Amino acid sequence: MGRLFGTDGVRGVANEEPMTPETVVKIGRAVAYLTRDAGRQASIVIGKDTRLTGYMLECALTSGICSMGVDVLLVGPLPTPGIAFIVRSLRADAGVVISASHNPFEDNGIKFFSGDGFKLPDEVEARVEALVLSGEIDAIRPRAREVGKAYRIGDALGRYIEFAKRTIPKGITFKGMRVVVDCAHGAAYKASPTLLRELGAEVVPLNVAPDGFNINAGCGSLHPQGMQAAVREHRADVGCAHDGDADRVILADETGALVDGDQILAMCALDLKRRGALRGDTVVATVMSNVGLEHALTAHGIRLIRTAVGDRYVLEEMLRGNYNLGGEQLQPGGGAVRPRHLPGPQHDGGRAHHGAAGPLPGPAAWQAPLGAPAMHDGAPPGPGQRPGGPAGGPHVAPERAAGARGGRGRPGWQRPTPGPVLRDRAGRAGDGGGGGPGADRGAGPLAGCRHREGTRGVANSRPPPSSRGEPLLRPIPRQGCVAAHPGRAAAARGRSRTRSHRVSCSRCAGKVGVEGVMERAGARRGPRLAVNVDHIATIRQARGGRDPDPVAAAALAELAGAEGIIVQLREDRRHIQDRDLRLLRETVKTRLNLEMAATEEMAGIAASVRPDLVTLVPERRQELTTEGGLEVAGQRRRLTAVVGPLQGAGIPVSLFIDPEEEQAEAAKAVGAAAVELHTGRYAEGRGEAAREALAALIRAARFAAGTGLAVSAGHGLNYANVEPVAAIPEVEELNIGHSIVARAALVGMDRAVREMLTRIRGARG
């Protein structure tokens, strides 16, 4: 037997090597062996599509995994992104999908992904392969009392559908829409129709009667003709066709015509651009995308970056450049992802139209060779204008595209094929397995899995700062100084990001009072929002159960646009637990800020977990919440003993202080990288007391930034009082918890975070 892993897990003809029960048992044992955790009981989720041979392989995997002392959580037929979501929902350590995707019934396969929803790293796959092929795994056997158990998870489908529904903004409705959905007799045969109905659509389901043999047979994304005919017959607004494991989808408009993948990508890009949400005004695609896409995007001031073929290269480029939209054009059967904040079906006189991007070019405009490209309006480039020129034109990522076409950095023309794979970085890998235009919007960090071929989307995520070499608090030079001294712009951009720009000239000093802050409020976008999820854990601990889960709340907050997650691990563990902290470190994709007391125990935990930032706070067991800032000036020696080792280990430290210059100066003296200004007196004050407290915050923020400290603020801030603090130019981040959690209890985390972001960003114009 040769290699086990191919481009998308292990795949082959069922009951022939390597897809035999004997080999699959060994594969399950090897994965479980690498998953085991000596400190706790590990678990692995197993899901599948509707192939008859799935039962055989499910039993084999279960046997192998349990034999290594790891529990198995069986969820049955479920779309691939749904299985990835369940892994997160159940806090499992890994997930397995038994499916051969769009391949015929006779084939089957096994795809693995880790507990965070990404595909297994190449080195882990290589280790699994070595354990199996060398026979080494055969000699590793736990004792009988240590074997694992298998559990059937009965509510997996319901969990996934509810999650997918929550990702769709309330302003988008499917009521009055008629949707044709072809489930290919596969994993989405229940999920997609149910989801669309619950969202208000009238559903015309096709191929939803799996018998174990008919998966992908003349239907689904490989054969969309039946879906197209049904759209016309039933006068539907939209049609969609899945493949066997629902990790891709083909779309058709109300006429039954297939919608070109590049057109969908352009539509999403133009909508995000219109709303000011397209990061860097950039879209990432592969060399398979047509040149017409380039011209359509360039005409709207959007740059296109190309990579080599493969969704992994699209994802890598998006992570590298912090872009939030990318896509891959595949052969028929390719998938479309509709992440949560991309355009979705909207109504216009009772008929659906695609988002709000405006008219898009027809197929002829997209299928233009480089020699005579057609622009989005049918016009060729102007005199001397090279398609994809430097003026906002497309760009080929050289390390991705070089060699992709015979070593040329510039791709040749490729005829587009239906069905893109879209990526929107909202957290983890995700794809359109939920079915239909609404279900595909469920692709988010909890709803997908990054496989080399089968993964389809990453929505609104950011890599941990440690992977980008960036600190949590990234001071921004004062715009006034750069504007007043154009020659300093380059120097300001090149200055270390770990230190604020210290203004030293009279032209930049400006006014000192609240009026001066308001005049400079429009200088930049506004501070980042970091959400504290402690109160989610407080509710959970009140009942002693597992819900609500602060880890899930953090993911939802990130999906909604939060740029940081905060937790306080108190010595009495009254809300956040050690396990929560470990899981958050593994799953938070923005920045994790650990608030803690300055004790030896907490310093050891921080050194082990390695959050992106540690904030030292005062802690008294009798208090309901933190009451006042650290008295830094009076305990410099003690704080230095904690700050020094953490900073030396590469973990930046912030101190939670009252807004006093003396405390900021002391924080600088003990070696802190940042301070968080306590806003409690301002938040609780009224009238003149509140104005005086705000003035103190302004003075303290200016002083602290002038010493080189990064500045954040928080405590007691809510929707009514946040804007004046957000307007302080030196404040780079606002840390808010209780008011957002309280609002989320009424309207959901997504809306609560977005409403707060609206107020923060509105504070600076």
Side-chain angles (χ1 to χ4, degrees):
M1 183 168 47
R3 294 192 68 233
L4 293 175
F5 287 87
T7 59
D8 195 17
V10 184
R11 189 173 291 184
V13 177
N15 223 19
E16 296 180 14
E17 291 294 348
M19 299 309 300
T20 63
E22 295 84 357
T23 298
V24 170
V25 166
K26 294 181 180 180
I27 294 172
R29 299 187 76 239
V31 171
Y33 172 70
L34 297 177
T35 303
R36 291 191 307 177
D37 188 331
R40 61 185 178 85
Q41 180 62 46
S43 61
I44 295 177
V45 170
I46 298 179
K48 60 184 180 180
D49 63 20
T50 57
R51 287 172 169 82
L52 177 66
T53 55
Y55 293 97
M56 172 185 73
L57 300 178
E58 182 185 56
C59 291
L61 273 172
T62 300
S63 178
I65 293 170
C66 287
S67 75
M68 293 303 294
V70 175
D71 289 345
V72 171
L73 308 175
L74 300 167
V75 301
L78 199 66
T80 291
I83 295 168
F85 164 72
I86 292 298
V87 170
R88 294 273 303 269
S89 176
L90 297 178
R91 299 185 178 186
D93 300 275
V96 185
V97 180
I98 302 172
S99 174
S101 192
H102 57 277
N103 286 14
F105 146 77
E106 292 83 3
D107 292 346
N108 217 326
I110 304 173
K111 299 186 249 189
F112 296 95
F113 44 92
S114 60
D116 61 7
F118 287 117
K119 74 174 184 68
L120 291 182
D122 292 343
E123 59 269 23
V124 176
E125 290 186 350
R127 180 60 177 145
V128 170
E129 194 166 272
L131 286 169
V132 173
L133 297 183
S134 68
E136 180 183 351
I137 194 64
D138 297 335
I140 305 173
R141 295 187 181 277
R143 293 174 297 177
R145 65 174 60 251
E146 296 172 345
V147 300
K149 301 177 182 178
Y151 302 87
R152 179 70 62 181
I153 307 301
D155 64 344
L157 176 63
R159 288 189 185 214
Y160 178 56
I161 289 175
E162 286 303 311
F163 166 75
K165 285 162 57 180
R166 289 197 303 271
T167 66
I168 299 176
K170 293 193 180 290
I172 293 178
T173 177
F174 290 179
K175 293 181 179 179
M177 289 184 64
R178 183 174 297 152
V179 180
V180 172
V181 55
D182 183 347
C183 297
H185 299 300
Y189 79 100
K190 286 185 179 179
S192 289
T194 302
L195 173 64
L196 291 168
R197 288 192 187 100
E198 292 187 11
L199 289 170
E202 176 186 350
V203 179
V204 179
L206 304 178
N207 303 307
V208 290
D211 60 10
F213 304 91
N214 57 3
I215 186 170
N216 296 321
C219 58
S221 61
L222 287 177
H223 307 278
Q225 298 83 0
M227 177 268 290
Q228 293 175 269
V231 168
R232 291 188 288 266
E233 177 185 351
H234 294 278
R235 299 178 60 83
D237 298 286
V238 67
C240 54
H242 291 297
D243 67 338
D245 67 335
D247 68 351
R248 58 185 70 189
V249 68
I250 292 290
L251 298 179
D253 65 16
E254 66 273 14
T255 70
L258 296 181
V259 180
D260 180 81
D262 281 339
Q263 288 181 292
I264 298 174
L265 185 57
M267 177 177 62
C268 295
L270 296 181
D271 181 78
L272 287 171
K273 169 76 171 179
R274 177 183 60 81
R275 294 188 280 117
L278 184 62
R279 292 184 189 166
D281 286 339
T282 298
V283 174
V284 181
T286 73
V287 295
M288 294 297 291
S289 283
N290 194 269
V291 70
L293 173 64
E294 297 183 358
H295 300 321
L297 296 180
T298 301
H300 290 83
I302 299 172
R303 183 176 65 148
L304 180 70
I305 293 180
R306 291 183 180 271
T307 73
V309 175
D311 61 2
R312 66 185 305 177
Y313 300 114
V314 174
L315 175 60
E316 288 172 5
E317 183 64 24
M318 291 176 68
L319 294 174
R320 186 194 66 78
N322 191 29
Y323 307 124
N324 65 339
L325 180 63
E328 181 183 15
Q329 184 86 294
L330 296 181
Q331 297 301 319
V337 172
R338 288 235 189 218
R340 58 182 313 284
H341 59 271
L342 294 186
Q346 302 172 15
H347 276 245
D348 185 4
R351 302 294 291 174
H353 63 87
H354 301 295
L360 291 170
W366 297 96
Q367 299 174 7
L370 285 175
M375 302 297 281
H376 76 288
D377 55 1
Q385 179 183 2
R386 180 175 63 85
H395 166 68
V396 180
E399 68 279 13
R400 302 286 184 258
R405 293 213 182 277
R408 297 196 300 272
R410 187 71 166 85
W413 171 74
Q414 288 289 315
R415 186 178 187 84
T417 53
V421 177
L422 302 184
R423 289 195 175 280
D424 180 86
R425 287 184 44 228
R428 305 277 173 166
D431 57 281
D440 292 321
R441 293 174 60 89
L446 307 184
C449 156
R450 178 185 156 208
H451 308 294
R452 290 193 185 95
E453 175 185 308
T455 312
R456 305 302 184 225
V458 176
N460 197 35
S461 75
R462 299 183 63 185
S466 57
S467 69
R468 304 193 310 271
E470 299 178 12
L472 173 65
L473 297 176
R474 209 166 49 231
I476 301 174
R478 291 187 185 178
Q479 300 297 318
C481 187
V482 173
H485 308 283
R488 295 186 183 177
R493 287 192 295 270
R495 189 174 286 105
S496 169
R497 289 185 175 185
T498 62
R499 300 181 63 84
S500 293
H501 173 44
R502 186 171 185 176
V503 178
S504 58
C505 79
S506 59
R507 279 188 291 175
C508 300
K511 298 180 180 179
V512 176
V514 177
E515 296 84 357
V517 169
M518 293 304 181
E519 284 184 12
R520 299 192 301 274
R524 49 187 164 91
R525 166 182 169 271
R528 297 181 297 272
L529 171 63
V531 177
N532 188 311
V533 296
D534 289 351
H535 294 287
I536 298 291
T538 298
I539 298 171
R540 178 193 63 190
Q541 297 302 111
R543 293 293 299 268
R546 300 181 64 179
D547 294 314
D549 184 0
V551 178
L556 291 171
E558 287 184 307
L559 272 172
E563 295 185 76
I565 299 298
I566 308 165
V567 290
Q568 181 178 357
L569 186 66
R570 298 183 69 103
E571 292 182 279
D572 60 7
R573 305 302 196 271
R574 66 175 62 172
H575 38 59
I576 294 295
Q577 306 298 302
D578 295 69
R579 175 178 170 82
D580 296 325
L581 180 60
R582 291 196 303 270
L583 287 170
L584 285 164
R585 173 64 288 177
E586 295 173 1
T587 57
V588 167
K589 300 305 290 181
T590 52
R591 301 175 175 90
L592 179 61
N593 180 356
L594 171 61
E595 295 182 344
M596 65 181 211
T599 66
E600 183 177 349
E601 177 202 10
M602 290 298 164
I605 292 173
S608 173
V609 174
R610 299 192 63 81
D612 301 299
L613 180 75
V614 163
T615 299
L616 299 181
V617 300
E619 184 175 316
R620 292 182 290 274
R621 287 181 179 263
Q622 67 272 22
E623 65 185 0
L624 291 177
T625 185
T626 304
E627 299 173 357
L630 276 170
E631 175 54 46
V632 184
Q635 46 182 334
R636 295 191 183 192
R637 180 177 299 178
R638 172 171 170 263
L639 291 174
T640 301
V642 176
V643 172
L646 288 174
Q647 298 249 121
I651 304 172
V653 177
S654 176
L655 302 184
F656 183 70
I657 64 171
D658 289 323
E660 301 168 359
E661 293 182 5
E662 178 189 16
Q663 299 299 333
E665 185 176 29
K668 181 68 175 179
V670 302
V675 291
E676 179 182 351
L677 301 180
H678 184 276
T679 56
R681 192 162 69 91
Y682 159 75
E684 296 166 2
R686 297 292 182 272
E688 186 61 29
R691 285 190 288 272
E692 291 177 359
L694 179 61
L697 287 168
I698 294 169
R699 290 191 297 269
R702 179 169 297 151
F703 179 85
T707 68
L709 291 167
V711 181
S712 63
H715 196 82
L717 296 178
N718 57 42
Y719 296 88
N721 63 24
V722 70
E723 293 185 37
V725 179
I728 301 175
E730 292 81 5
V731 173
E732 302 156 27
E733 184 170 278
L734 294 178
N735 301 329
I736 305 175
H738 182 269
S739 63
I740 291 178
V741 172
R743 179 69 173 154
L746 301 177
V747 302
M749 182 64 77
D750 180 271
R751 181 173 169 184
V753 171
R754 290 179 184 277
E755 288 177 351
M756 183 62 76
L757 283 170
T758 298
R759 284 162 172 77
I760 291 173
R761 290 166 181 170
R764 296 190 184 178

